[in-house]
Every structure is written in C-alpha cells, then in structure tokens.
Amino acid sequence: MPDMKAAMMYQPGGPEVLHIERRPIPVPSTGQVLLRVKAFGLNRSELFTRQGHSPSVKFPRILGIEAVGLVEEAPGTRFSKGDVVATAMGGMGRVFDGSYAEYTCVPATQVQGIKTHLPWETLGAIPEMLQTAWGSLFKSLRLVKGERLLIRGGTTSVGLAAAAIAKSRGAIVWSTSRRPDREQLLRKAGADEVFIDTGTIADEVRKRVSGGVDKVLELIGTTTLVDSLRCAKQGGIVCMTGIVGNQWSFDKFAPMEVIPTAVSLTSYAGEAEDFMRMPLEELTEQIAAGSLQVEVGRVFHLDEIVEAHRCMEENKAGGKIVVLT
C-alpha cells in the first residue's frame, strides 16, 4: 500500500508531541475527495487541541482543519484529478484525520474548486482565515458600508484579513495591537486608525467617536470582552470570535453589569457550510489583483511542524502561518 508523510499526535502536550511518520494514504469512498495537500494554515483551535483542550478529539490523530491542494481521486463527485481545491472544517483534524499530511480525504460537500495562479503559500493561508473573517463580519456582525468597525486583536491573522475585507467593503476600520511597532502592519492591512491596546481602551474609543463604534470584532476573548462591550454604541454589535488571550471563560459573569444597554453580544464559530457559502473564487481574484491584502507571516515545511507550532504558541508570526508539504 502506498504511504505518505504525516504529523501524528498520540497524546496532548507541547509542540514536541507532533511526530513525523509514514502512514498509509487514505482511500476515498464514493462522494469523498482524496486531496494531495500542497499547503495548509495553522489555527489556534489546533493549538488548543494539541494542548488537550478538545476533549471530544480522540487520539491518535492527524491535526489540521484546512488544506489546499490538488485532487488525486474523487469517485462519484464533480471533481477531476488535478483540480485545484480548498477545504476547511467539517470534522477535519478532529473527527477524522486532517491536513498535517501529504494527503487527506474529505467529503466533497466541503470542497471548493479554485481557478487561480496564486502561489501555494498564499492559497494555504486563506481557507479558514477568510472563512472566519468573512463569517464574523457579515453573518454575525452584519457589517455594512460606512460603519465603524473596531477589531480587537488586529495583528492576528483573522484580524488582518478582517481589516482588509471590511475596508474593501467600505467600512471604517479601527484595529488594536499591544505593540506600537505593529502600527504599519495594521495600516497596510486596511486599518484607518490604530489603538495601542492597554486592555482598557473604551474611554479612548469614545473620545474619538461619540457614543462608540457600530461593530466590534473581538479576537482576544474574555480578557478584553467587557471593555470591548463598552466600545460599542447603543444598537451596536460585539462578536466574539477569537480566544488568543487563552482564557476560555469569565471567573464571574454578571450580564446586567457587563453588557451595556442596547448593545448586542454574539459569537461566530464557522462550520463547513459557512466555508462553502464564502465567495472563495471572488476573494482569491481580489487577492491576485492586489485589492485584498493577505498577510502571510511565516512559511514552514511539514518536517518543521514542531517549530511552526512553537512559533504560533509564542505569537511570533506577524500574520498567518503556512505549512508547505
């Protein structure tokens, strides 16, 4: 049986629990796509799973919730060998083995074809990142042209993508970072204004716009959520999408105290159907034309998966981390 290189994980722990091994190439059933993985992005959810925060994930497992590459086999589907495709979510790397390998096998219902000449390191950055940014902005926040959007955690890969997409759709974008030296990165992505995030920026936001902003995309999590709620105006919406602050819950939560009057709090956690609804072809065309900026932070190879995870854990990438196979 032909085999492939894969990063196997047998138990939770640090980056070193990811082991490069030879494994059998999966065989697709009717309605499945065997994808020759060319690139994949790293995601915080994979870091949490690796650390042991995903009790539903059974081991051994090949992680990876997204991938881009070429169709190898696709029995009973609309795809042909050699098609360029992307996939994300739908149980990848959690219910079944994911993209940290040279091949992965996924349902055709969560695969989009792409006609593009973008390099693999760019394509590898976009499926989950754009799906999360797109869904947060337009499904949960219902962002429209002319609104003021505050992105809390602007230097995350999703934050940078969200700024670029929101700016291209006519929003006024404000982004935050804890580091002053990241201002140019944020402005390059599409931010009109930059806030240095001390953890409490609501008073400064309200000084710049009376009453607060229209929408807030919260990517840091519970550590800044209360302050982000104070940044929104009455009738505004705050969407919690990210947890880069690594705190999953409040120690104490009193809704009547922390949620301001007439401010809505929602969340976004994309699924495979959200990925399939995203206009991937349109977005890749915008990236190719230069009208939509995608920040690739670091590029690694599959043999360097431990180093890549360490880079993600230490927040050293300055953009999306992409792994080439």
Side-chain angles (χ1 to χ4, degrees), residues 186-213:
L186 293 172
R187 291 190 181 277
K188 179 184 175 185
D192 298 289
E193 297 285 345
V194 173
F195 291 84
I196 305 306
D197 200 336
T198 61
T200 53
I201 63 171
D203 290 341
E204 185 181 356
V205 168
R206 287 176 169 273
K207 283 180 183 177
R208 298 219 197 165
V209 57
S210 178
V213 297

PDB file of all heavy atoms in Angstrom, residues 186-213:
ATOM      1  N   LEU A 186      -0.790  47.050  10.632  1.00  0.00           N
ATOM      2  CA  LEU A 186      -2.243  47.215  10.703  1.00  0.00           C
ATOM      3  C   LEU A 186      -2.745  48.154   9.616  1.00  0.00           C
ATOM      4  O   LEU A 186      -3.770  47.893   8.973  1.00  0.00           O
ATOM      5  CB  LEU A 186      -2.642  47.734  12.081  1.00  0.00           C
ATOM      6  CG  LEU A 186      -2.420  46.765  13.244  1.00  0.00           C
ATOM      7  CD1 LEU A 186      -2.656  47.458  14.576  1.00  0.00           C
ATOM      8  CD2 LEU A 186      -3.318  45.549  13.119  1.00  0.00           C
ATOM      9  N   ARG A 187      -2.031  49.237   9.388  1.00  0.00           N
ATOM     10  CA  ARG A 187      -2.460  50.195   8.360  1.00  0.00           C
ATOM     11  C   ARG A 187      -2.332  49.589   6.967  1.00  0.00           C
ATOM     12  O   ARG A 187      -3.178  49.827   6.092  1.00  0.00           O
ATOM     13  CB  ARG A 187      -1.658  51.490   8.480  1.00  0.00           C
ATOM     14  CG  ARG A 187      -2.005  52.288   9.742  1.00  0.00           C
ATOM     15  CD  ARG A 187      -1.381  53.665   9.733  1.00  0.00           C
ATOM     16  NE  ARG A 187      -1.699  54.417  10.940  1.00  0.00           N
ATOM     17  CZ  ARG A 187      -2.826  55.106  11.114  1.00  0.00           C
ATOM     18  NH1 ARG A 187      -3.736  55.138  10.152  1.00  0.00           N
ATOM     19  NH2 ARG A 187      -3.038  55.772  12.231  1.00  0.00           N
ATOM     20  N   LYS A 188      -1.312  48.789   6.747  1.00  0.00           N
ATOM     21  CA  LYS A 188      -1.143  48.115   5.458  1.00  0.00           C
ATOM     22  C   LYS A 188      -2.309  47.172   5.188  1.00  0.00           C
ATOM     23  O   LYS A 188      -2.767  47.027   4.049  1.00  0.00           O
ATOM     24  CB  LYS A 188       0.176  47.351   5.446  1.00  0.00           C
ATOM     25  CG  LYS A 188       0.439  46.597   4.146  1.00  0.00           C
ATOM     26  CD  LYS A 188       1.722  45.788   4.239  1.00  0.00           C
ATOM     27  CE  LYS A 188       1.933  44.947   2.989  1.00  0.00           C
ATOM     28  NZ  LYS A 188       3.124  44.068   3.106  1.00  0.00           N
ATOM     29  N   ALA A 189      -2.815  46.546   6.254  1.00  0.00           N
ATOM     30  CA  ALA A 189      -3.932  45.606   6.100  1.00  0.00           C
ATOM     31  C   ALA A 189      -5.241  46.315   5.805  1.00  0.00           C
ATOM     32  O   ALA A 189      -6.167  45.703   5.274  1.00  0.00           O
ATOM     33  CB  ALA A 189      -4.072  44.760   7.360  1.00  0.00           C
ATOM     34  N   GLY A 190      -5.340  47.606   6.176  1.00  0.00           N
ATOM     35  CA  GLY A 190      -6.574  48.338   5.910  1.00  0.00           C
ATOM     36  C   GLY A 190      -7.087  49.194   7.042  1.00  0.00           C
ATOM     37  O   GLY A 190      -8.132  49.844   6.910  1.00  0.00           O
ATOM     38  N   ALA A 191      -6.383  49.211   8.178  1.00  0.00           N
ATOM     39  CA  ALA A 191      -6.844  50.000   9.321  1.00  0.00           C
ATOM     40  C   ALA A 191      -6.715  51.496   9.037  1.00  0.00           C
ATOM     41  O   ALA A 191      -5.672  51.966   8.585  1.00  0.00           O
ATOM     42  CB  ALA A 191      -6.048  49.639  10.566  1.00  0.00           C
ATOM     43  N   ASP A 192      -7.794  52.243   9.316  1.00  0.00           N
ATOM     44  CA  ASP A 192      -7.764  53.697   9.202  1.00  0.00           C
ATOM     45  C   ASP A 192      -7.193  54.332  10.461  1.00  0.00           C
ATOM     46  O   ASP A 192      -6.542  55.377  10.399  1.00  0.00           O
ATOM     47  CB  ASP A 192      -9.185  54.230   8.966  1.00  0.00           C
ATOM     48  CG  ASP A 192      -9.785  53.708   7.668  1.00  0.00           C
ATOM     49  OD1 ASP A 192      -9.320  54.136   6.596  1.00  0.00           O
ATOM     50  OD2 ASP A 192     -10.696  52.862   7.724  1.00  0.00           O
ATOM     51  N   GLU A 193      -7.468  53.701  11.612  1.00  0.00           N
ATOM     52  CA  GLU A 193      -6.952  54.176  12.899  1.00  0.00           C
ATOM     53  C   GLU A 193      -6.402  52.983  13.668  1.00  0.00           C
ATOM     54  O   GLU A 193      -6.883  51.858  13.532  1.00  0.00           O
ATOM     55  CB  GLU A 193      -8.061  54.845  13.719  1.00  0.00           C
ATOM     56  CG  GLU A 193      -8.652  56.093  13.085  1.00  0.00           C
ATOM     57  CD  GLU A 193      -7.722  57.293  13.188  1.00  0.00           C
ATOM     58  OE1 GLU A 193      -6.764  57.234  13.982  1.00  0.00           O
ATOM     59  OE2 GLU A 193      -7.958  58.275  12.467  1.00  0.00           O
ATOM     60  N   VAL A 194      -5.387  53.248  14.508  1.00  0.00           N
ATOM     61  CA  VAL A 194      -4.764  52.193  15.305  1.00  0.00           C
ATOM     62  C   VAL A 194      -4.774  52.595  16.770  1.00  0.00           C
ATOM     63  O   VAL A 194      -4.440  53.742  17.114  1.00  0.00           O
ATOM     64  CB  VAL A 194      -3.313  51.940  14.838  1.00  0.00           C
ATOM     65  CG1 VAL A 194      -2.609  50.970  15.781  1.00  0.00           C
ATOM     66  CG2 VAL A 194      -3.303  51.399  13.414  1.00  0.00           C
ATOM     67  N   PHE A 195      -5.178  51.669  17.628  1.00  0.00           N
ATOM     68  CA  PHE A 195      -5.154  51.877  19.074  1.00  0.00           C
ATOM     69  C   PHE A 195      -4.116  50.947  19.685  1.00  0.00           C
ATOM     70  O   PHE A 195      -4.091  49.760  19.372  1.00  0.00           O
ATOM     71  CB  PHE A 195      -6.520  51.558  19.698  1.00  0.00           C
ATOM     72  CG  PHE A 195      -7.604  52.527  19.346  1.00  0.00           C
ATOM     73  CD1 PHE A 195      -8.318  52.390  18.171  1.00  0.00           C
ATOM     74  CD2 PHE A 195      -7.914  53.586  20.193  1.00  0.00           C
ATOM     75  CE1 PHE A 195      -9.319  53.276  17.845  1.00  0.00           C
ATOM     76  CE2 PHE A 195      -8.913  54.479  19.874  1.00  0.00           C
ATOM     77  CZ  PHE A 195      -9.623  54.329  18.692  1.00  0.00           C
ATOM     78  N   ILE A 196      -3.276  51.489  20.551  1.00  0.00           N
ATOM     79  CA  ILE A 196      -2.363  50.657  21.325  1.00  0.00           C
ATOM     80  C   ILE A 196      -3.159  50.112  22.505  1.00  0.00           C
ATOM     81  O   ILE A 196      -3.654  50.872  23.336  1.00  0.00           O
ATOM     82  CB  ILE A 196      -1.137  51.449  21.804  1.00  0.00           C
ATOM     83  CG1 ILE A 196      -0.436  52.105  20.602  1.00  0.00           C
ATOM     84  CG2 ILE A 196      -0.180  50.525  22.553  1.00  0.00           C
ATOM     85  CD1 ILE A 196      -0.073  51.138  19.481  1.00  0.00           C
ATOM     86  N   ASP A 197      -3.301  48.797  22.536  1.00  0.00           N
ATOM     87  CA  ASP A 197      -4.230  48.155  23.462  1.00  0.00           C
ATOM     88  C   ASP A 197      -3.589  47.920  24.829  1.00  0.00           C
ATOM     89  O   ASP A 197      -2.718  47.070  24.990  1.00  0.00           O
ATOM     90  CB  ASP A 197      -4.704  46.827  22.870  1.00  0.00           C
ATOM     91  CG  ASP A 197      -6.001  46.348  23.501  1.00  0.00           C
ATOM     92  OD1 ASP A 197      -6.281  46.758  24.646  1.00  0.00           O
ATOM     93  OD2 ASP A 197      -6.729  45.589  22.856  1.00  0.00           O
ATOM     94  N   THR A 198      -4.059  48.665  25.804  1.00  0.00           N
ATOM     95  CA  THR A 198      -3.602  48.502  27.181  1.00  0.00           C
ATOM     96  C   THR A 198      -4.502  47.554  27.962  1.00  0.00           C
ATOM     97  O   THR A 198      -4.245  47.279  29.130  1.00  0.00           O
ATOM     98  CB  THR A 198      -3.597  49.864  27.897  1.00  0.00           C
ATOM     99  OG1 THR A 198      -4.944  50.378  27.920  1.00  0.00           O
ATOM    100  CG2 THR A 198      -2.678  50.849  27.192  1.00  0.00           C
ATOM    101  N   GLY A 199      -5.547  47.089  27.318  1.00  0.00           N
ATOM    102  CA  GLY A 199      -6.548  46.266  27.995  1.00  0.00           C
ATOM    103  C   GLY A 199      -7.816  47.034  28.289  1.00  0.00           C
ATOM    104  O   GLY A 199      -8.894  46.455  28.426  1.00  0.00           O
ATOM    105  N   THR A 200      -7.688  48.352  28.382  1.00  0.00           N
ATOM    106  CA  THR A 200      -8.853  49.223  28.610  1.00  0.00           C
ATOM    107  C   THR A 200      -8.756  50.409  27.652  1.00  0.00           C
ATOM    108  O   THR A 200      -8.026  51.366  27.928  1.00  0.00           O
ATOM    109  CB  THR A 200      -8.920  49.722  30.069  1.00  0.00           C
ATOM    110  OG1 THR A 200      -7.665  50.316  30.424  1.00  0.00           O
ATOM    111  CG2 THR A 200      -9.222  48.577  31.024  1.00  0.00           C
ATOM    112  N   ILE A 201      -9.480  50.318  26.555  1.00  0.00           N
ATOM    113  CA  ILE A 201      -9.407  51.372  25.533  1.00  0.00           C
ATOM    114  C   ILE A 201     -10.764  52.035  25.286  1.00  0.00           C
ATOM    115  O   ILE A 201     -10.873  52.911  24.434  1.00  0.00           O
ATOM    116  CB  ILE A 201      -8.869  50.819  24.201  1.00  0.00           C
ATOM    117  CG1 ILE A 201      -9.820  49.758  23.637  1.00  0.00           C
ATOM    118  CG2 ILE A 201      -7.459  50.280  24.368  1.00  0.00           C
ATOM    119  CD1 ILE A 201      -9.476  49.331  22.228  1.00  0.00           C
ATOM    120  N   ALA A 202     -11.795  51.613  26.021  1.00  0.00           N
ATOM    121  CA  ALA A 202     -13.150  52.108  25.750  1.00  0.00           C
ATOM    122  C   ALA A 202     -13.240  53.631  25.859  1.00  0.00           C
ATOM    123  O   ALA A 202     -13.885  54.285  25.028  1.00  0.00           O
ATOM    124  CB  ALA A 202     -14.153  51.450  26.691  1.00  0.00           C
ATOM    125  N   ASP A 203     -12.610  54.206  26.876  1.00  0.00           N
ATOM    126  CA  ASP A 203     -12.680  55.668  27.042  1.00  0.00           C
ATOM    127  C   ASP A 203     -12.043  56.378  25.858  1.00  0.00           C
ATOM    128  O   ASP A 203     -12.562  57.394  25.364  1.00  0.00           O
ATOM    129  CB  ASP A 203     -12.000  56.088  28.346  1.00  0.00           C
ATOM    130  CG  ASP A 203     -12.784  55.657  29.577  1.00  0.00           C
ATOM    131  OD1 ASP A 203     -13.999  55.370  29.438  1.00  0.00           O
ATOM    132  OD2 ASP A 203     -12.189  55.603  30.671  1.00  0.00           O
ATOM    133  N   GLU A 204     -10.914  55.847  25.371  1.00  0.00           N
ATOM    134  CA  GLU A 204     -10.239  56.465  24.227  1.00  0.00           C
ATOM    135  C   GLU A 204     -11.083  56.333  22.960  1.00  0.00           C
ATOM    136  O   GLU A 204     -11.190  57.268  22.160  1.00  0.00           O
ATOM    137  CB  GLU A 204      -8.874  55.815  24.015  1.00  0.00           C
ATOM    138  CG  GLU A 204      -8.055  56.486  22.920  1.00  0.00           C
ATOM    139  CD  GLU A 204      -6.701  55.829  22.702  1.00  0.00           C
ATOM    140  OE1 GLU A 204      -6.350  54.890  23.458  1.00  0.00           O
ATOM    141  OE2 GLU A 204      -6.000  56.254  21.767  1.00  0.00           O
ATOM    142  N   VAL A 205     -11.703  55.169  22.779  1.00  0.00           N
ATOM    143  CA  VAL A 205     -12.566  54.961  21.610  1.00  0.00           C
ATOM    144  C   VAL A 205     -13.714  55.955  21.633  1.00  0.00           C
ATOM    145  O   VAL A 205     -14.045  56.579  20.608  1.00  0.00           O
ATOM    146  CB  VAL A 205     -13.098  53.511  21.582  1.00  0.00           C
ATOM    147  CG1 VAL A 205     -14.223  53.362  20.553  1.00  0.00           C
ATOM    148  CG2 VAL A 205     -11.964  52.534  21.273  1.00  0.00           C
ATOM    149  N   ARG A 206     -14.323  56.144  22.780  1.00  0.00           N
ATOM    150  CA  ARG A 206     -15.475  57.036  22.884  1.00  0.00           C
ATOM    151  C   ARG A 206     -15.083  58.515  22.743  1.00  0.00           C
ATOM    152  O   ARG A 206     -15.906  59.349  22.380  1.00  0.00           O
ATOM    153  CB  ARG A 206     -16.205  56.800  24.208  1.00  0.00           C
ATOM    154  CG  ARG A 206     -16.978  55.490  24.196  1.00  0.00           C
ATOM    155  CD  ARG A 206     -17.630  55.179  25.538  1.00  0.00           C
ATOM    156  NE  ARG A 206     -18.552  54.068  25.388  1.00  0.00           N
ATOM    157  CZ  ARG A 206     -19.829  54.174  25.033  1.00  0.00           C
ATOM    158  NH1 ARG A 206     -20.332  55.379  24.803  1.00  0.00           N
ATOM    159  NH2 ARG A 206     -20.601  53.124  24.910  1.00  0.00           N
ATOM    160  N   LYS A 207     -13.824  58.802  23.011  1.00  0.00           N
ATOM    161  CA  LYS A 207     -13.347  60.167  22.766  1.00  0.00           C
ATOM    162  C   LYS A 207     -13.260  60.444  21.268  1.00  0.00           C
ATOM    163  O   LYS A 207     -13.504  61.560  20.808  1.00  0.00           O
ATOM    164  CB  LYS A 207     -11.969  60.379  23.409  1.00  0.00           C
ATOM    165  CG  LYS A 207     -12.005  60.577  24.918  1.00  0.00           C
ATOM    166  CD  LYS A 207     -10.591  60.768  25.450  1.00  0.00           C
ATOM    167  CE  LYS A 207     -10.596  60.884  26.982  1.00  0.00           C
ATOM    168  NZ  LYS A 207      -9.209  60.999  27.509  1.00  0.00           N
ATOM    169  N   ARG A 208     -12.890  59.411  20.503  1.00  0.00           N
ATOM    170  CA  ARG A 208     -12.724  59.583  19.061  1.00  0.00           C
ATOM    171  C   ARG A 208     -14.048  59.573  18.313  1.00  0.00           C
ATOM    172  O   ARG A 208     -14.169  60.188  17.264  1.00  0.00           O
ATOM    173  CB  ARG A 208     -11.819  58.487  18.504  1.00  0.00           C
ATOM    174  CG  ARG A 208     -10.429  58.526  19.099  1.00  0.00           C
ATOM    175  CD  ARG A 208      -9.399  58.214  18.046  1.00  0.00           C
ATOM    176  NE  ARG A 208      -8.130  57.854  18.648  1.00  0.00           N
ATOM    177  CZ  ARG A 208      -7.139  57.268  17.999  1.00  0.00           C
ATOM    178  NH1 ARG A 208      -7.282  56.964  16.717  1.00  0.00           N
ATOM    179  NH2 ARG A 208      -6.007  56.977  18.607  1.00  0.00           N
ATOM    180  N   VAL A 209     -15.020  58.844  18.831  1.00  0.00           N
ATOM    181  CA  VAL A 209     -16.351  58.828  18.202  1.00  0.00           C
ATOM    182  C   VAL A 209     -17.398  58.803  19.305  1.00  0.00           C
ATOM    183  O   VAL A 209     -17.436  57.879  20.117  1.00  0.00           O
ATOM    184  CB  VAL A 209     -16.525  57.636  17.236  1.00  0.00           C
ATOM    185  CG1 VAL A 209     -16.281  56.305  17.916  1.00  0.00           C
ATOM    186  CG2 VAL A 209     -17.909  57.660  16.603  1.00  0.00           C
ATOM    187  N   SER A 210     -18.193  59.823  19.362  1.00  0.00           N
ATOM    188  CA  SER A 210     -19.181  59.975  20.425  1.00  0.00           C
ATOM    189  C   SER A 210     -20.147  58.791  20.437  1.00  0.00           C
ATOM    190  O   SER A 210     -20.733  58.431  19.423  1.00  0.00           O
ATOM    191  CB  SER A 210     -19.968  61.272  20.222  1.00  0.00           C
ATOM    192  OG  SER A 210     -20.952  61.411  21.216  1.00  0.00           O
ATOM    193  N   GLY A 211     -20.270  58.181  21.593  1.00  0.00           N
ATOM    194  CA  GLY A 211     -21.207  57.079  21.757  1.00  0.00           C
ATOM    195  C   GLY A 211     -20.616  55.707  21.514  1.00  0.00           C
ATOM    196  O   GLY A 211     -21.141  54.711  21.993  1.00  0.00           O
ATOM    197  N   GLY A 212     -19.518  55.634  20.737  1.00  0.00           N
ATOM    198  CA  GLY A 212     -18.894  54.350  20.475  1.00  0.00           C
ATOM    199  C   GLY A 212     -18.996  53.937  19.013  1.00  0.00           C
ATOM    200  O   GLY A 212     -19.605  54.623  18.191  1.00  0.00           O
ATOM    201  N   VAL A 213     -18.404  52.806  18.681  1.00  0.00           N
ATOM    202  CA  VAL A 213     -18.370  52.313  17.303  1.00  0.00           C
ATOM    203  C   VAL A 213     -19.603  51.471  17.013  1.00  0.00           C
ATOM    204  O   VAL A 213     -20.325  51.043  17.914  1.00  0.00           O
ATOM    205  CB  VAL A 213     -17.099  51.484  17.038  1.00  0.00           C
ATOM    206  CG1 VAL A 213     -15.855  52.344  17.197  1.00  0.00           C
ATOM    207  CG2 VAL A 213     -17.032  50.265  17.957  1.00  0.00           C
TER     208      VAL A 213
END
